[in-house]
Amino acid sequence: MTCAWTAAGVRLRPPRATDYAEWSVLRAGSRAFLQPWEPTWPADDLTRNAFRRRLSAYAHDMERGTAYPFLVFRATDNVMVGGITLSNIRRGVAQMGSIGYWVGEAPHRRGHTVAAVNAVTHFAFQRLGLHRIEAACIPANEASRAVLARAGFRQEGMAMNYLRINGVWRDHLLFGLVSPGESRHDEVLV
């Protein structure tokens, strides 16, 4: 499933081989800004070969329907500002997935990430028919907490040692969002 769209000042589309130069410059220039919130970068993370491997893995995940990665571009000038992925998609009784995102240091705090999260949640609920989306962030990541709150996510709890971030197992706040229009039905036992 290939898709690209413009929403609220951003344009999202799956990564392409031709994105390598812009992607690597944005990630390299934002390395110190991003590393406190991300898994440890492999030594070759910003190389063209690593990017090709990433694209191959993305294609496999999209083909299987388990993940959909997108790069985020400013709609006004088509400059890359970050990325967002809907991953860990589960079907059956769960009908859910997880989102993760990043934004470069220079374009952060301009609403691009909130717009991207809103666009991906719409994609997940309307196009994929998912029921629930989850997200997690380190408690100290105030910016990410604000993004999720502005996008309608509710904080649901804390997971101890949830993800290995920058080489250290870190606790994460857990957030969830249920598809609009779907109400919660509690069974009553008689």
Side-chain angles (χ1 to χ4, degrees):
M1 175 183 309
T2 303
C3 52
W5 68 92
T6 302
V10 296
R11 188 171 70 81
L12 279 66
R13 69 162 169 74
R16 304 175 186 151
T18 55
D19 294 319
Y20 168 72
E22 188 175 10
W23 174 87
S24 64
V25 166
L26 180 60
R27 295 281 296 172
S30 303
R31 187 177 199 130
F33 174 74
L34 294 171
Q35 279 187 319
W37 320 113
E38 294 188 354
T40 302
W41 293 16
D44 72 340
D45 194 53
L46 298 178
T47 66
R48 188 174 296 277
N49 283 339
F51 191 73
R52 284 187 195 121
R53 286 192 306 271
R54 187 182 303 261
L55 291 180
S56 178
Y58 289 162
H60 181 70
D61 289 344
M62 287 187 289
E63 184 179 299
R64 289 183 12 224
T66 58
Y68 295 90
F70 301 99
L71 291 175
V72 181
F73 299 86
R74 218 171 21 226
T76 55
D77 57 7
N78 207 35
V79 168
M80 186 185 302
V81 296
I84 186 166
T85 301
L86 174 64
S87 63
N88 301 317
I89 295 172
R90 296 174 298 284
R91 294 297 186 167
V93 298
Q95 297 295 327
M96 61 193 298
S98 302
I99 62 165
Y101 47 83
W102 63 274
V103 64
E105 184 172 16
H108 87 288
R109 295 196 184 269
R110 290 188 172 77
H112 305 308
T113 309
V114 173
V117 169
N118 285 330
V120 168
T121 57
H122 181 80
F123 170 75
F125 294 144
Q126 302 302 315
R127 185 111 178 238
L128 299 181
L130 297 181
H131 169 73
R132 175 182 167 79
I133 300 173
E134 298 175 338
C137 71
I138 297 170
N141 192 340
E142 299 283 338
S144 191
R145 291 169 64 182
V147 163
L148 293 169
R150 287 181 58 201
F153 282 73
R154 292 183 53 196
Q155 185 177 328
E156 298 178 333
M158 168 92 71
M160 306 301 284
N161 294 314
Y162 187 66
L163 295 172
R164 191 174 172 122
I165 301 298
N166 203 18
V168 178
W169 287 103
R170 302 288 303 268
D171 297 345
H172 279 66
L173 297 174
L174 303 178
F175 294 82
L177 181 66
V178 175
S179 178
E182 295 190 30
S183 61
R184 181 177 165 197
H185 299 285
D186 293 329
E187 291 184 27
V188 178
L189 300 176
V190 182

